[in-house]
Amino acid sequence: MIKLAVFDLDGTLLDTLEDLGNACNYALKMCGYGERRMEEYNSLVGRGIYNLFNGALPEGARTEEEIMKMKGYFIPYYDKHKCDRTHPYDGICTMLDKLAASGIRLAVASNKYQDGTEKLVRRFFGKYDFVKILGQRDGMPIKPDPMIVAEAMTAASITDRTEVVYSGDSNVDMQTGINAGVKTIGVTWGFRTREELLAYGPWAIADSPDRLCRLILEA
């Protein structure tokens, strides 16, 4: 029986792609580089902002100095515009309602920087009692390191991995769940493809939040 459901944020609970892409394109422009096409961000996001900047920059400009310049433009712009287009995927709030009503604890484990993660979760899902809201933090490993799942388990006072499920939309998420030794569900409505998810042999694949909810409740 599942007691803790841990979710990725971007591409799983929230469609954040356009706001992330717009903020990154703004930073690229301010640094003197050409913008990326929005569809390119499907593969660029999900590994933390430093990897996002590294991937978005032209190949010859991928230096620590340029990445930090990108961050200086990106963070203030994204903080102001992070909710312009961002919204929960259809059915997500209904799913969270059902899980919470069934007594399942909820947590978020994201590679988005911590402040952005907390603000978005509180803005769109403030009514839910998440045991932990975890994002990218300085000095802490990012996904696919399993520590972020372990932190959520500790916050929920759970030690049995069979009682935990981790859900996400990318190869990084699939590897995170596998590394953590918990049931791992790939969701197909996010930024990556079904084929990418299946390549990692997840416990299950969900094509809708309703299906994800049923998988968690029936596990």
Side-chain angles (χ1 to χ4, degrees):
M1 179 180 176
I2 298 300
K3 295 183 179 179
L4 172 66
V6 186
F7 298 96
D8 172 52
L9 184 62
D10 301 71
T12 301
L13 298 180
L14 292 175
D15 183 353
T16 57
L17 190 68
E18 193 169 353
D19 286 335
L20 284 170
N22 286 338
C24 195
N25 277 342
Y26 171 79
L28 285 169
K29 181 179 178 181
M30 296 303 293
C31 289
Y33 302 109
E35 298 180 0
R36 293 280 185 170
R37 290 176 288 108
M38 194 58 61
E39 55 265 30
E40 292 183 80
Y41 286 105
N42 282 290
S43 59
L44 289 173
V45 301
R47 299 178 179 87
I49 57 172
Y50 297 110
N51 287 318
L52 168 61
F53 303 152
N54 188 65
L57 283 163
E59 189 170 345
R62 294 168 181 171
T63 66
E64 182 67 22
E65 181 181 1
E66 291 302 284
I67 287 171
M68 295 310 293
K69 282 175 62 179
M70 287 277 291
K71 180 182 178 182
Y73 289 114
F74 177 94
I75 295 292
Y77 184 94
Y78 185 68
D79 191 54
K80 185 181 294 185
H81 296 280
K82 63 182 176 296
C83 297
D84 286 359
R85 300 290 185 180
T86 290
H87 57 88
Y89 288 100
D90 290 344
I92 288 295
C93 291
T94 298
M95 176 193 71
L96 294 176
D97 286 340
K98 290 179 179 178
L99 295 178
S102 297
I104 293 176
R105 312 293 298 280
L106 308 173
V108 169
S110 175
N111 274 346
K112 182 187 292 292
Y113 63 99
Q114 181 67 32
D115 184 63
T117 299
E118 290 181 2
K119 286 178 177 177
L120 283 176
V121 171
R122 288 171 181 154
R123 164 66 176 80
F124 291 101
F125 308 115
K127 73 174 184 176
Y128 302 104
D129 183 22
F130 289 94
V131 297
K132 207 73 174 175
I133 300 170
L134 298 167
Q136 179 182 356
R137 294 149 291 162
D138 290 340
M140 301 294 287
I142 62 173
K143 299 182 300 183
D145 190 285
M147 182 178 293
I148 200 165
V149 176
E151 286 186 70
M153 290 176 62
T154 297
S157 300
I158 292 174
T159 58
D160 188 346
R161 290 180 175 84
T162 66
E163 298 175 343
V164 181
V165 63
Y166 179 80
S167 304
D169 71 302
S170 75
N171 56 350
V172 172
D173 294 312
M174 299 303 93
Q175 194 62 61
T176 300
I178 291 167
N179 290 346
V182 301
K183 288 183 174 67
T184 305
I185 302 177
V187 305
T188 62
W189 56 82
F191 303 154
R192 306 295 179 81
T193 65
R194 169 187 282 269
E195 290 71 27
E196 177 177 303
L197 302 172
L198 285 171
Y200 285 79
W203 177 71
I205 293 285
D207 292 319
S208 69
D210 179 66
R211 175 61 177 159
L212 177 57
C213 184
R214 285 185 282 119
L215 284 167
I216 294 171
L217 290 174
E218 295 168 8

